[in-house]
Amino acid sequence: MTAPDGRRRLLVVDDEPDIRTLVTMSLERLGGMQVVPADSGHAALDLLANDPSIDGIILDVQMPGLDGPSTLERVRELPHGATLPVVFLTASVQPSQRRALEQLPVTSLISKPFDPVTLPDLVRSAFGW
Amino acid sequence: MSSQSSSARARLLQERHLIGGPEEERFERIVRLAARLIGAPVAHLNVLDDSTTWTKAAVGSEQKQLPVGETFCQRVIETQQAVVIEDLRTDTQFRDYALVTEKPHFRFYAGEPLSIGDEVVGTLCVLDTVPRQLTPDQRELLRELASWAQSEVDNAGLNELVGALQDRESRLATLLDAVPEAVLLVDEKFRLTPTNPAGRTLLPSGTSALRDVFPLLSPDAPPFLERRGEGGAARLPVETTLCTPDQRVPVEVSVAPLGLSRAPWRWLVLVRDLSDLAQADAALRRERRLTSLILDSTTDGIVGSTTDGTVFLANRAATAMLTCRSGDLVGHSFQEVARPAADEQGQMTLSRRDGSRFPVELATTPIQVGEEVVGSVDTFRDVSQRLEMDRLKDEFVGVVSHELRTPLTSIKGALGLLSSGAFGDFAPEQAQLIDLARSNADRLGFLVDDILDLDRLDAGRMPLNAENVDVVELARQSVDSLDGAARAAGVTLQLLDEAGAADVSADPMRLVQALCNLIGNAIKFSEVGDTVVVRVSRDDAVSAGSVTVAVTDSGPGISQDQQRAVFDRFHQVNPADRGSRKGSGLGLSVAKGIVERSGGQLWLRSTKGQGSTFGVTLPALTTPRGREAT
């Protein structure tokens, strides 16, 4: 599903407002996408339940409450969440942790710190857009 | 007269010093008296050995010695009794003797025997030139004088004996003076009398009661002396303590019975001062006590074992850590009691008495005496606390890194978006300020990364995913990634491949990081127009061969005394020159850590004013191309 104006709609889930702002500005201003921000896993699930027009999710791994993997689990349980492309945003540098994350049903991993200038390209290639 | 008797006589005369030597006053008085009392012109005291008649004293004659066969005294010796010859001319043996036929023309001889013990050895004789007879009184007189002379001869022996005794005594006295032992004599009432200087030093007050001197012996002192004395052994020493008014001296005492019938002395006691020995012994004991104190004071467990693994020493920390008693270890095997084994993480652990295990650092060192290994020492330290600290530190570093990275990410991202032009163009000064903020945010980011890397290298936790990699390829990647920075600094990067195949086992990402640090450094210290050369070469002189990447700049160089310091953390070469050459000061430390963890070496060759070469040398994996062809 795409935004009415033809832009891709992305749900960006991160507990840090600065990151949400950067990702939003990068993807909207440079990438020409539409961003729906969420500050927690629960908020993301609520939004998803009410908004079937989301094309993909950028999901922070480390969050208080519901973390990235737990949120992903619930997303996959939603009627239209099973096949939704999801990209993890992770600061982890431990190869073992990265490997563990890669085992989960996700599309790709994007490392923090990311360069907001090149982020739209990374996201497009991750989602195959 | 037998020859045997003759040599016995000669020997006796020798012993009494009666042959040769000056005439003796004590004999002269006798011969003078004999001549006068008998009324003879000549009197002699002669001694006769095997061949010669020796004159010890004479009156009326100059004769000193004559062959025995020419003198009349031979008959006294032969007959062993007094001889009187009233007229020598009528004597069938003597009438032709020169003393008779020639001057002094003796006619009369009377000789009395002188003896040593049972052996007749000489004569007291009177001679006259006219024939004569001796009245009974005269014969009696001559006999008396002879017995006087005999007593002088006997005295001569006594004097000799006394002299010999004196010699022996002075030798003994010298000996007594010289011996370090105190020589004491003990009488029947158990009183000790010192007999030599050492004895007098020991008992300055002279004769002392045994009880006072050896109080430790006193309850059974006389039996002790008896017992020691009985065996007759020269030396059956016992160790005890001697009491003097000012001190107690450890001594060794030997007792020997004297067996003198008349003297009051019954025993001889030798006392040897053991103070020096005792002091040495005490020093040794003190040292041992100190050593064991040190051993027991250390917090490391120390266990000494013989070559067969039997524990002979375990300090307090060892028994405390293993929660056992010394007896549970000593005499047993350390392997069996402590059961050293590595856990799943490879951490060495030891077993407590209750079977629980604790992590340790364990070192086993051989005990060597010269070349020979005589045992081993196990030293161990409980590292539970340190491991816990490490875990907390890791956690802390992890948290800090996240906490630092997160705001940095935001700062860099925001500045990046601003300068991307997505929000419109800025005035030149605004753009300059944004660039300044960006480059410093980058620097801070590198610093955080380097600190994290170093921390992981220190802890041995930097994950190195080693694989077979071509160093030339990695060097090219490194050069490519710094091409932009080099161009911005007006520096040319040149890659020289002189190695052919240059495969090594390393984590490619980390090796590129190390090389980038070196190349980045070289760029920083180059001037505009300089060239930084990255040379990959191979050395097969050593058995397995090695691959070297050398990064050479033509910068200011590093003086000899600074060369070692450049690998120190936060070290900045020549701070005065820094200017814009800002780095974290950690790059070389990180590179060194990565290279060494990869089994290689990071080295530096530089001369002040002539540039520097930093090199990475790693063990090669394959033979060089071209080698196989030949």
Side-chain angles (χ1 to χ4, degrees):
Chain A
M1 191 83 68
T2 312
D5 55 8
R7 292 187 295 167
R8 300 281 186 182
R9 265 170 77 82
L10 272 175
L11 177 59
V12 173
V13 192
D14 199 305
D15 58 310
E16 290 171 76
D18 288 354
I19 301 295
R20 289 200 304 274
T21 305
L22 280 173
V23 174
T24 304
M25 283 196 180
S26 163
L27 295 184
E28 291 201 335
R29 287 288 193 119
L30 294 176
M33 304 170 204
Q34 192 185 9
V35 171
V36 181
D39 62 2
S40 71
H42 288 292
L45 290 169
D46 285 348
L47 278 167
L48 269 180
N50 300 312
D51 187 350
S53 66
I54 299 293
D55 295 312
I57 307 175
I58 293 179
L59 182 56
D60 186 26
V61 173
Q62 272 180 298
M63 286 186 297
L66 268 190
D67 64 4
S70 308
T71 307
L72 176 68
E73 212 180 307
R74 304 268 188 97
V75 168
R76 292 296 178 228
E77 288 164 2
L78 293 173
H80 58 288
T83 55
L84 205 57
V86 176
V87 167
F88 269 145
L89 204 54
T90 176
S92 176
V93 286
Q94 295 291 338
S96 58
Q97 276 176 293
R98 290 186 71 93
R99 275 194 294 274
L101 290 175
E102 277 162 0
Q103 298 302 308
L104 300 174
V106 287
T107 312
S108 179
L109 289 179
I110 290 178
S111 294
K112 279 184 183 176
F114 56 86
D115 180 354
V117 178
T118 56
L119 183 66
D121 288 340
L122 278 177
V123 170
R124 263 194 290 268
S125 84
F127 287 135
W129 295 334
Chain B
M1 173 183 83
S2 68
S3 64
Q4 198 176 6
S5 138
S6 156
S7 10
R9 192 171 71 239
R11 198 171 55 247
L12 284 167
L13 291 169
Q14 292 281 358
E15 280 173 13
R16 300 280 175 101
H17 302 283
L18 284 168
I19 291 174
E23 290 183 7
E24 291 181 49
E25 171 63 26
R26 56 195 175 127
F27 294 133
E28 269 166 25
R29 281 162 58 206
I30 297 169
V31 293
R32 269 201 307 274
L33 265 175
R36 273 180 62 187
L37 291 172
I38 305 298
V42 175
H44 272 253
L45 194 144
N46 290 340
V47 293
L48 292 79
D49 64 14
D50 297 348
S51 57
T52 309
T53 299
W54 303 86
T55 300
K56 295 303 292 178
V59 65
S61 162
E62 298 299 312
Q63 176 200 319
K64 296 294 178 208
Q65 61 186 76
L66 277 175
V68 167
E70 291 179 25
T71 64
F72 318 118
C73 295
Q74 58 180 296
R75 186 165 298 162
V76 179
I77 302 292
E78 278 162 20
T79 59
Q80 306 249 312
Q81 58 184 19
V83 170
V84 179
I85 302 163
E86 294 175 351
D87 187 353
L88 290 164
R89 283 208 187 156
T90 63
D91 190 282
T92 49
Q93 186 188 353
F94 296 141
R95 63 181 176 206
D96 300 324
Y97 276 32
L99 288 172
V100 176
T101 56
E102 294 164 26
K103 227 176 165 178
H105 301 289
F106 284 129
R107 299 290 295 273
F108 174 79
Y109 173 89
E112 287 284 334
L114 300 173
S115 21
I116 298 173
D118 294 335
E119 188 80 20
V120 176
V121 298
T123 65
L124 174 66
C125 57
V126 289
L127 297 112
D128 207 341
T129 50
V130 293
R132 55 183 294 176
Q133 291 183 319
L134 286 184
T135 64
D137 283 350
Q138 283 174 326
R139 288 204 65 154
E140 182 64 28
L141 265 174
L142 192 59
R143 201 174 299 126
E144 282 301 323
L145 286 171
S147 90
W148 179 11
Q150 179 65 52
S151 76
E152 286 295 339
V153 168
D154 291 345
N155 277 353
L158 202 59
N159 287 344
E160 285 299 314
L161 196 63
V162 169
L165 280 175
Q166 279 170 346
D167 277 359
R168 208 177 290 180
E169 198 182 323
S170 90
R171 276 207 302 276
L172 194 63
T174 312
L175 212 64
L176 283 174
D177 284 357
V179 293
E181 282 95 349
V183 182
L184 311 173
L185 289 167
V186 187
D187 65 17
E188 293 153 324
K189 292 180 175 165
F190 301 107
R191 284 178 305 205
L192 300 169
T193 303
T195 65
N196 69 338
R200 284 185 287 278
T201 307
L202 207 63
L203 303 179
S205 52
T207 300
S208 315
L210 179 78
R211 265 166 223 292
D212 297 339
V213 180
F214 296 111
L216 296 186
L217 282 181
S218 60
D220 66 341
F224 155 77
L225 288 175
E226 297 279 10
R227 200 166 59 240
R228 293 287 151 182
E230 270 166 19
R235 231 176 132 72
L236 282 170
V238 290
E239 285 183 25
T240 181
T241 301
L242 177 100
C243 274
T244 63
D246 4 284
Q247 57 179 341
R248 295 164 69 90
V249 187
V251 290
E252 183 190 77
V253 181
S254 314
V255 179
L258 284 172
L260 300 176
S261 52
R262 286 195 297 182
W265 314 120
R266 291 187 60 188
W267 298 279
L268 182 76
V269 174
L270 290 179
V271 182
R272 189 147 76 101
D273 189 342
L274 298 178
S275 307
D276 288 353
L277 277 175
Q279 275 165 20
D281 195 40
L284 193 68
R285 251 179 285 179
R286 217 171 21 246
E287 201 171 302
R288 260 189 218 157
R289 204 167 53 237
L290 206 61
T291 310
S292 89
L293 268 176
I294 291 170
L295 281 176
D296 281 344
S297 303
T298 69
T299 51
D300 286 2
I302 299 172
V303 172
S305 306
T306 56
T307 41
D308 67 359
T310 309
V311 173
F312 62 85
L313 177 146
N315 73 344
R316 202 168 289 165
T319 52
M321 275 186 254
L322 298 170
T323 60
C324 64
R325 289 184 309 262
S326 179
D328 298 328
L329 261 176
V330 174
H332 298 84
S333 151
F334 178 68
Q335 295 290 324
E336 282 168 24
V337 176
R339 289 182 286 132
D343 65 12
E344 312 86 63
Q345 281 92 47
Q347 173 63 50
M348 179 55 72
T349 62
L350 294 181
S351 171
R352 295 193 187 91
R353 199 178 155 85
D354 63 4
S356 63
R357 303 192 73 89
F358 61 101
V360 289
E361 253 172 32
L362 173 68
T364 306
T365 347
I367 307 173
Q368 275 180 297
V369 177
E371 295 285 293
E372 194 191 355
V373 175
V374 296
S376 60
V377 178
D378 289 291
T379 312
F380 53 95
R381 175 179 297 184
D382 188 337
V383 292
S384 326
Q385 233 178 346
R386 207 196 63 200
L387 292 181
E388 179 59 15
M389 291 297 292
D390 282 353
R391 202 186 58 75
L392 288 174
K393 193 182 122 197
D394 288 353
E395 233 176 63
F396 174 75
V397 169
V399 168
V400 166
S401 78
H402 186 250
E403 293 306 309
L404 283 174
R405 273 164 186 266
T406 309
L408 258 177
T409 307
S410 301
I411 293 167
K412 281 164 74 176
L415 293 168
L417 279 179
L418 270 181
S419 54
S420 71
F423 299 89
D425 292 334
F426 293 102
E429 278 179 338
Q430 289 173 316
Q432 203 180 340
L433 284 173
I434 290 169
D435 274 351
L436 186 148
R438 268 188 85 185
S439 72
N440 278 283
D442 283 343
R443 237 186 97 199
L444 200 54
F446 292 141
L447 184 59
V448 171
D449 288 346
D450 283 351
I451 289 173
L452 283 170
D453 284 347
L454 269 185
D455 180 68
R456 283 196 293 260
L457 282 167
D458 283 351
R461 283 183 299 100
M462 175 175 277
L464 289 181
N465 302 312
E467 52 189 85
N468 290 6
V469 291
D470 180 3
V471 177
V472 180
E473 180 48 38
L474 297 185
R476 183 167 293 124
Q477 280 180 27
S478 308
V479 167
D480 286 350
S481 75
L482 283 163
D483 195 49
R487 239 178 299 167
V491 174
T492 309
L493 290 183
Q494 187 182 6
L495 177 66
L496 296 178
D497 172 12
E498 298 174 354
D503 280 11
V504 299
S505 172
D507 182 327
M509 209 177 80
R510 290 303 181 180
L511 194 52
V512 166
Q513 182 187 356
L515 293 177
C516 282
N517 283 356
L518 299 186
I519 298 167
N521 240 22
I523 294 170
K524 263 188 279 178
F525 286 94
S526 294
E527 301 294 332
V528 175
D530 283 354
T531 300
V532 168
V533 180
V534 179
R535 186 190 313 266
V536 185
S537 61
R538 196 186 156 104
D539 179 8
D540 287 293
V542 286
S543 59
S546 64
V547 177
T548 295
V549 185
V551 180
T552 306
D553 64 54
S554 46
I558 304 162
S559 65
Q560 203 70 32
D561 54 328
Q562 288 245 39
Q563 288 191 10
R564 212 159 21 140
V566 298
F567 297 105
D568 289 351
R569 293 177 188 181
F570 299 108
H571 179 88
Q572 304 269 356
V573 173
N574 204 355
D577 287 353
R578 266 174 64 182
S580 61
R581 294 158 180 164
K582 287 171 189 167
S584 67
L586 291 172
L588 279 177
S589 300
V590 172
K592 190 171 158 70
I594 290 170
V595 170
E596 286 175 358
R597 278 280 317 275
S598 310
Q601 278 180 308
L602 177 58
W603 48 265
L604 160 64
R605 232 171 268 141
S606 180
T607 309
K608 187 84 182 162
Q610 295 176 33
S612 307
T613 298
F614 283 90
V616 172
T617 300
L618 293 157
L621 279 181
T622 52
T623 50
R625 269 174 273 169
R627 272 274 172 103
E628 290 156 14
T630 49

